[in-house]
Amino acid sequence: MFSKLSSGIGQVLQKVFGSHNQRILDDLDPLVQAVNAKEDEYARLADSDFPLRTETFKKRLADGESLDDLLPDTFAMTREAAKRALGMRHFDMQILGGIVLHQGKIAEMATGEGKTLVATAPLYLNALVGNGVYLVTVNDYLAKRDCEWMAPVFEKMGLEVGAIQSGMSSSERQAEYHKDITYGTNNEFGFDYLRDNMKASREQQVQKFLHYAIVDEVDSILIDEARTPLIISGMPEASTAKYYAADKIAKKLKDGRDFEKKEKENACPLTEEGIERAQQLAGVDSFYSGANMDWPHHIEQSLRANSLFKKDKDYVVQKGDEGTEVVIVDEFTGRLMPGRRWSDGLHQAVEAKEGIRIKEESQTLATITFQNYFRLYEKIAGMTGTALTEAGEFLKIYKLEVVAIPTNLPMIRADCNDVIYRSLAEKRNALIDEICRLNTFGRPALVGTTSIESSEILSDMLGRRGVTHEVLNAKQHAREATIVAEAGKKGHVTIATNMAGRGTDIKLGEGVINSDCVHPETGAVWCCIGCERPERANNCAGCFKGAINQRFLEGENGMSPCEQDVRCGLHIIGTERHEARRIDNQLRGRAGRQGDPGSSRFFLSLDDDLMRIFAKDWVKTVLEKLGMTEGQEIESRMVTRGIENAQKKVEARNFDIRKNLLEYDEVMDQQRRTIYETRQEILEGEDLKEKALAMVNDNVTGLMGTYLGDSKKDWELKEFASRLNMIYQSDFSASDFEKMDFPEVEQKVMERVNRLYEEKETEIDAEHMRRVERFLLLNVLDAKWKDHLYAMDALKAGISLRSYGQIDPKVEYKKEGFEKFQMLLTSVSDEVTQYIFRVKRVEEEDERQLSGRWSSGQTVREQMSGFDSQRQGMDQAIRGSGREKPNVQIRRKEPKVGRNDPCPCGSNKKYKKCCGQRI
């Protein structure tokens, strides 16, 4: 009662004061008018004047004007440049959308409103700063297409534009990033950021600044993919045999007896009985002792793979460069995601399930979530057709406000109520009948499915009915542009997996649109599906009582003349509701672009995943009360609202999951920023000596804390002096400190150590010393960071168990994560210190030998994976890392390997005849 009252009050207040969105639009209208006022001025310019104006704008910025001051001029000039280069003039609504993007907000714009053109004005304006701007989209095809399409606009104004494509070399990427405007995918931008922070020199890095980015299909990238971190992995750690064994065991366990299949949680935990049976099958006494403790994890992952992950829905099996492989299918876009792998052993479990070769698990070398990557930018903006349903999350996580931009022409698409059937088979038969009926009259139809399997089943059914059609799913990815271009033509039927993130609107062909389809007064679509049946006419969203002309009910065989003439626009058929309302809205949004007529309807059954998991019981009860029988359809607005409420609950749950992920990753985010900032300073040569000396001083402080207790009688002076001598190659003795207090010891040691550092610098010479410092700082930092990531992965994997002890896992993760990071910083200082005082100048002949073993062609992954953080030979890293060679060698008293063992440098020689002969 209270919620209804609150809703009523809210509606009254909105009528009086207007919506928040409308107030924003009203505030921006003067800016739109200011741009319009400049239109004639820029229409009079010669083409040669455009680059000159760009230089003028840059000078105005340098003289202290802001980007906001330049907005009317730059937007007006971009509009004129687009008219001349493309024959396209920005509508006022597109100018409005561009202003929203410049202000760092999300512009929600309907499909077909020209978002690609909208982005040109804010991209141009923000590129004037000179730090580069990025347009982030969902796939390589769109990045290249949009770049080539809009390039004439930017080039006319004197700016360079480029596009990043997967497979590009580092030098090719560098060239594209150094242009004023760069198009690319979220994956490429994110991985380039990680790779840049693994590069050996500033010159090898490709990205310049994270200044400004516009994220196209922002909900797909920042919401749908927010739970998928970007990970660069290293060498395998363990055998794969246990995955096959676990798969055999999982296939023998019974659902409900040995394990519970929990679809909501996406988990299959073992029962007590199941644990005992699995132990017998594995041939072990107990899973919870010694070397057997990883069995439950392997078996539960195999149970998930066998029970929850479906072939041709969640993944496909196909031939790849390295043989048969499992490729993940994006649940939101229906695209294949080659190179992506499920983590925590799940991907290996699926490979074992399918009986193909298992790719070994890899160690994380660098990782970041899209949430934290895009929060690194000084300013980001986004555009999409569906963002309002996630407006709260955008504001909380990214501080991005969503502004709905009105359509240029009125939206007249008719969105009909859902039709619900008892079984999946009934639903499929009904929607096939619907497609065939529409196809008889030549009306184009787009059928949206949620999986590859479903699209292929419908394709087979249509084929048996003799209906010509196209299938657009991950398997036909290469033909996407052609299929979409044909989808709106007369008589075309297109079956597509989820249209989210496709980034392409469907234009209607000749003979599909006619003004007779639209009521002259109400704007309602007269001939949406079902209009030929009087008993259903008033149930359609666009078919209001009295709006249907009598002639539409008097056609031959009860069909409307309009349908017979095929002039009703594109019809959308949804085969299932998605968990997120946005995905359904994106499918609907493919019809009704730019004021076109069109319609949409969803066909549902009680066997659909969303209905079965979240809404089956109450919906079934309602349908039975409505008198539903076998083969009968039910069309009820109440049920449609109920399904939307279920979707809202799922969206809220998914938001909590993403928020939980972000809270965990925020720990790593702060640590990552610290490490990467330090690393960048090292690459750029900032205060290398001071950094190295600071680490030396930290090491001394740590030693004093270890050996010199609060009470002088507890001091371990002999051990303290011995440790100092070993690290600093000095000659301290216990007697040096016997008559000193703590501050005096600290001062004496610090003075001596700093003097030894100066002597070492003199011995090597300052230039070489800087190179040594950079090399050691980078290599030790990278190796320790790699080990830290591995430790944090392990911590995160088991931290949830702390909840059984009434301990908050997040608090513990933050606490232990902080402790581990402090240990990381300490170990970096200690290792750099130990190595830096042992470097010796290598004679010219020795250096030539060292250079002869230099490997300059290694990749970042090979460099990182090949570097053993457990001090397995820093000279090996110098030879094999591909980094700048300092003219020094690190000498140790003892080799780390036997003299007759293979040399760690990989030369295939014995250690004593290779690297060992120089120690």
Side-chain angles (χ1 to χ4, degrees):
M1 181 66 181
F2 177 75
S3 62
K4 290 182 179 179
L5 180 61
S6 299
S7 177
I9 294 174
Q11 291 174 2
V12 171
L13 291 175
Q14 182 168 317
K15 287 181 180 179
V16 175
F17 298 104
S19 68
H20 174 66
N21 191 82
Q22 188 58 51
R23 291 196 296 274
I24 293 175
L25 297 178
D26 291 342
D27 290 341
L28 296 180
D29 186 63
L31 273 176
V32 177
Q33 300 310 319
V35 174
N36 290 339
K38 297 274 186 178
E39 187 166 8
D40 289 342
E41 175 187 341
Y42 286 93
R44 291 191 294 268
L45 290 181
D47 285 357
S48 58
D49 291 333
F50 282 67
L52 299 177
R53 284 296 178 102
T54 295
E55 295 305 315
T56 301
F57 294 149
K58 290 180 179 180
K59 186 177 185 305
R60 287 171 61 182
L61 280 176
D63 291 342
E65 288 192 60
S66 68
L67 290 176
D68 291 342
D69 296 331
L70 298 180
L71 189 149
D73 285 288
T74 56
F75 273 48
M77 191 166 88
T78 305
R79 171 187 265 174
E80 183 61 28
K83 281 171 59 180
R84 299 187 189 188
L86 306 176
M88 303 169 69
R89 176 187 176 277
H90 292 70
F91 301 129
D92 283 2
M93 293 307 169
Q94 291 174 315
I95 293 293
L96 183 61
I99 295 170
V100 169
L101 294 177
H102 164 67
Q103 292 181 341
K105 298 175 183 177
I106 293 174
E108 182 182 87
M109 303 185 71
T111 300
E113 292 297 300
K115 292 189 287 291
T116 306
L117 185 63
V118 168
T120 54
L123 285 173
Y124 170 70
L125 173 57
N126 285 271
L128 295 173
V129 176
N131 289 337
V133 297
Y134 305 152
L135 190 291
V136 187
T137 189
V138 291
N139 60 58
D140 278 348
Y141 162 71
L142 290 178
K144 185 176 182 180
R145 184 203 71 177
D146 292 353
C147 173
E148 292 176 350
W149 189 9
M150 296 296 119
V153 179
F154 298 117
E155 290 168 356
K156 184 170 282 293
M157 297 184 289
L159 296 186
E160 291 185 316
V161 59
I164 302 297
Q165 299 282 283
S166 59
M168 276 186 170
S169 67
S170 182
S171 60
E172 289 173 325
R173 290 172 184 272
Q174 202 169 58
E176 299 304 306
Y177 276 115
H178 279 71
K179 293 177 180 177
D180 300 290
I181 298 162
T182 306
Y183 287 73
T185 68
N186 49 320
N187 287 331
E188 294 303 321
F189 285 127
F191 276 122
D192 281 338
Y193 169 75
L194 292 178
R195 284 189 287 260
D196 273 356
N197 283 286
M198 299 170 69
K199 293 290 177 64
S201 68
R202 180 69 183 93
E203 291 72 27
Q204 294 175 357
Q205 293 179 324
V206 296
Q207 290 184 347
K208 294 190 294 184
F209 304 97
L210 300 183
H211 168 53
Y212 176 66
I214 296 176
V215 184
D216 192 11
E217 305 295 348
V218 65
D219 51 342
S220 176
I221 292 173
L222 297 189
I223 300 293
D224 297 341
E225 299 201 43
R227 289 159 60 180
T228 306
L230 297 171
I231 299 174
I232 294 179
S233 301
M235 297 177 68
E237 297 290 338
S239 169
T240 61
K242 192 166 281 189
Y243 291 109
Y244 292 112
D247 181 68
K248 291 180 180 178
I249 293 171
K251 285 183 167 70
K252 295 178 181 178
L253 299 179
K254 185 177 179 181
D255 180 16
R257 182 191 67 183
D258 301 321
F259 67 94
E260 298 178 36
K261 185 166 69 172
K262 298 188 175 183
E263 293 183 83
K264 288 186 182 180
E265 291 81 6
N266 196 25
C268 291
L270 288 164
T271 63
E272 290 296 326
E273 186 179 352
I275 291 172
E276 292 180 6
R277 185 168 282 101
Q279 287 174 166
Q280 294 172 359
L281 293 170
V284 299
D285 295 331
S286 172
F287 281 160
Y288 301 98
S289 62
N292 300 325
M293 293 184 69
D294 59 344
W295 270 112
H297 173 73
H298 282 295
I299 292 173
E300 289 185 9
Q301 293 293 58
S302 293
L303 288 170
R304 290 179 67 201
N306 281 279
S307 300
L308 298 176
F309 287 78
K310 307 299 182 185
K311 184 179 178 181
D312 285 340
K313 179 181 179 183
D314 301 298
Y315 64 92
V316 298
V317 177
Q318 65 178 28
K319 292 284 186 181
D321 296 337
E322 301 177 8
T324 305
E325 59 185 3
V326 169
V327 181
I328 299 172
V329 175
D330 189 328
E331 64 172 310
F332 298 103
T333 67
R335 296 179 182 280
L336 294 182
M337 299 193 292
R340 292 274 191 97
R341 292 178 65 81
W342 287 303
S343 61
D344 206 24
L346 175 60
H347 207 96
Q348 289 82 357
V350 174
E351 290 169 328
K353 166 192 170 183
E354 296 295 336
I356 64 177
R357 185 181 69 85
I358 293 176
K359 293 182 180 179
E360 298 87 349
E361 284 188 275
S362 300
Q363 180 177 342
T364 300
L365 303 180
T367 179
I368 193 170
T369 62
F370 285 123
Q371 291 167 316
N372 279 320
Y373 171 67
F374 283 106
R375 297 201 303 179
L376 293 171
Y377 282 79
E378 294 176 23
K379 182 171 70 174
I380 63 169
M383 51 187 184
T384 180
T386 48
L388 281 177
T389 56
E390 312 291 348
E393 180 167 353
F394 281 121
L395 192 60
K396 289 179 182 177
I397 303 299
Y398 304 102
K399 303 296 185 291
L400 286 172
E401 188 173 6
V402 178
V403 180
I405 307 299
T407 56
N408 186 52
L409 296 173
M411 171 67 73
I412 58 173
R413 185 185 67 240
D415 295 327
C416 304
N417 290 333
D418 299 346
V419 182
I420 304 169
Y421 295 85
R422 291 180 59 168
S423 69
L424 180 60
E426 292 176 50
K427 179 187 77 171
R428 283 177 175 163
N429 288 331
L431 66 88
I432 291 296
D433 288 341
E434 184 76 358
I435 295 168
C436 293
R437 183 181 66 79
L438 293 171
N439 188 249
T440 301
F441 305 111
R443 188 172 179 194
L446 173 67
V447 185
T449 67
T450 57
S451 69
I452 297 172
E453 179 187 26
S454 179
S455 68
E456 292 180 343
I457 290 173
L458 292 178
S459 177
D460 289 340
M461 294 176 73
L462 281 176
R464 290 196 294 270
R465 298 282 288 270
V467 177
T468 303
H469 61 280
E470 289 277 9
V471 178
L472 174 58
N473 58 30
K475 294 182 178 181
Q476 285 79 31
H477 175 69
R479 297 181 56 240
E480 176 176 332
T482 304
I483 294 173
V484 170
E486 301 287 323
K489 291 187 177 180
K490 185 175 179 179
H492 276 250
V493 177
T494 307
I495 302 174
T497 50
N498 290 327
M499 293 296 291
R502 296 247 179 225
T504 307
D505 64 307
I506 298 172
K507 298 180 181 180
L508 298 185
E510 223 177 295
V512 176
I513 304 175
N514 190 287
S515 59
D516 289 342
C517 290
V518 183
H519 191 279
E521 297 176 4
T522 66
V525 178
W526 279 350
C527 55
C528 67
I529 60 169
C531 290
E532 72 283 2
R533 293 168 54 184
E535 69 273 15
R536 283 175 51 183
N538 293 333
N539 289 330
C540 295
C543 302
F544 306 110
K545 190 171 184 179
I548 303 176
N549 192 303
Q550 186 64 27
R551 71 185 180 91
F552 288 95
L553 304 179
E554 296 175 352
E556 295 178 13
N557 302 319
M559 301 297 180
S560 71
C562 184
E563 280 193 328
Q564 293 177 36
D565 292 339
V566 199
R567 295 169 183 170
C568 293
L570 178 67
H571 179 55
I572 303 295
I573 297 177
T575 63
E576 193 172 333
R577 285 281 197 170
H578 199 277
E579 286 185 1
R581 289 169 295 163
R582 288 180 301 100
I583 309 302
D584 296 339
N585 293 339
Q586 285 170 343
L587 176 60
R588 276 199 169 115
R590 302 301 159 177
R593 62 177 294 280
Q594 287 290 332
D596 289 344
S599 55
S600 69
R601 186 188 292 282
F602 279 82
F603 285 70
L604 311 177
S605 80
L606 296 182
D607 294 330
D608 294 346
D609 288 344
L610 182 71
M611 302 285 287
R612 182 171 49 80
I613 298 173
F614 296 100
K616 183 172 183 177
D617 293 336
W618 68 262
V619 171
K620 185 176 182 180
T621 302
V622 170
L623 295 182
E624 287 175 352
K625 288 181 179 180
L626 292 172
M628 186 178 195
T629 59
E630 185 73 25
Q632 183 181 357
E633 66 185 40
I634 289 291
E635 190 174 335
S636 168
R637 180 57 191 158
M638 180 181 70
V639 175
T640 301
R641 283 197 302 268
I643 294 169
E644 290 175 351
N645 288 334
Q647 289 176 305
K648 290 178 183 178
K649 291 178 182 178
V650 178
E651 288 167 2
R653 174 175 169 271
N654 289 338
F655 170 54
D656 288 339
I657 293 172
R658 289 189 290 266
K659 187 179 178 184
N660 186 61
L661 172 70
L662 182 63
E663 288 174 353
Y664 274 104
D665 193 57
E666 277 180 342
V667 177
M668 285 301 302
D669 186 53
Q670 293 300 320
Q671 297 175 2
R672 184 190 303 109
R673 292 191 189 206
T674 300
I675 293 296
Y676 285 177
E677 285 172 7
T678 301
R679 198 180 186 285
Q680 195 63 29
E681 290 171 359
I682 294 169
L683 284 182
E684 294 175 359
E686 295 181 13
D687 304 322
L688 293 181
K689 182 176 181 180
E690 285 74 6
K691 287 184 186 300
L693 282 173
M695 290 185 178
V696 169
N697 292 337
D698 287 344
N699 179 259
V700 171
T701 302
L703 291 175
M704 293 183 67
T706 300
Y707 295 106
L708 308 184
D710 295 336
S711 174
K712 192 168 183 177
K713 64 181 180 181
D714 297 327
W715 285 11
E716 302 173 75
L717 293 178
K718 185 175 180 181
E719 290 81 358
F720 178 58
S722 175
R723 184 67 177 159
L724 288 173
N725 292 336
M726 185 180 73
I727 295 173
Y728 299 106
Q729 306 293 290
S730 56
D731 55 355
F732 288 107
S733 66
S735 59
D736 292 340
F737 311 119
E738 288 177 349
K739 297 181 180 179
M740 295 181 179
D741 57 18
F742 192 94
E744 290 175 325
V745 173
E746 182 176 33
Q747 181 179 356
K748 181 180 179 65
V749 174
M750 291 294 188
E751 287 176 353
R752 175 81 67 84
V753 166
N754 279 283
R755 188 165 64 251
L756 289 170
Y757 198 98
E758 297 297 332
E759 292 172 0
K760 181 65 64 177
E761 184 176 8
T762 302
E763 174 191 340
I764 296 177
D765 83 48
E767 180 184 352
H768 280 81
M769 193 65 172
R770 299 294 85 79
R771 294 168 63 188
V772 170
E773 290 162 347
R774 177 182 288 107
F775 172 78
L776 289 176
L777 288 168
L778 279 180
N779 275 280
V780 174
L781 192 66
D782 287 347
K784 295 298 181 183
W785 178 241
K786 181 191 75 170
D787 290 345
H788 179 71
L789 289 175
Y790 184 80
M792 291 297 288
D793 282 346
L795 174 64
K796 188 175 181 180
I799 199 70
S800 60
L801 298 176
R802 309 289 177 90
S803 60
Y804 291 109
Q806 305 301 311
I807 297 174
D808 187 339
K810 290 179 192 174
V811 173
E812 284 297 292
Y813 182 75
K814 291 177 181 179
K815 177 184 174 184
E816 293 194 25
F818 176 77
E819 292 171 355
K820 288 181 182 295
F821 190 64
Q822 293 303 309
M823 292 171 59
L824 158 71
L825 297 179
T826 299
S827 63
V828 169
S829 297
D830 291 349
E831 191 151 322
V832 168
T833 300
Q834 290 185 52
Y835 281 124
I836 210 162
F837 282 90
R838 297 186 178 209
V839 295
K840 300 290 183 183
R841 183 69 180 265
V842 178
E843 298 300 327
E844 187 175 349
E845 182 179 349
D846 291 334
E847 187 179 4
R848 281 200 300 270
Q849 292 178 0
L850 186 65
S851 300
R853 295 190 180 94
W854 197 272
S855 172
S856 61
Q858 288 183 310
T859 65
V860 171
R861 178 176 295 188
E862 290 168 336
Q863 293 173 26
M864 295 294 295
S865 300
F867 181 74
D868 187 344
S869 64
Q870 301 301 323
R871 306 172 181 81
Q872 201 177 45
M874 188 66 75
D875 53 345
Q876 170 196 348
I878 296 176
R879 290 188 300 275
S881 70
R883 290 181 171 160
E884 180 184 14
K885 304 185 295 293
N887 189 23
V888 297
Q889 177 185 349
I890 296 171
R891 300 184 182 273
R892 289 186 296 273
K893 296 180 180 178
E894 295 181 278
K896 295 292 182 182
V897 292
R899 295 181 60 77
N900 291 315
D901 291 340
C903 188
C905 74
S907 65
N908 294 323
K909 296 181 180 179
K910 289 185 178 181
Y911 181 71
K912 65 182 180 181
K913 293 186 177 181
C914 187
C915 301
Q917 66 184 347
R918 297 196 306 278
I919 296 181

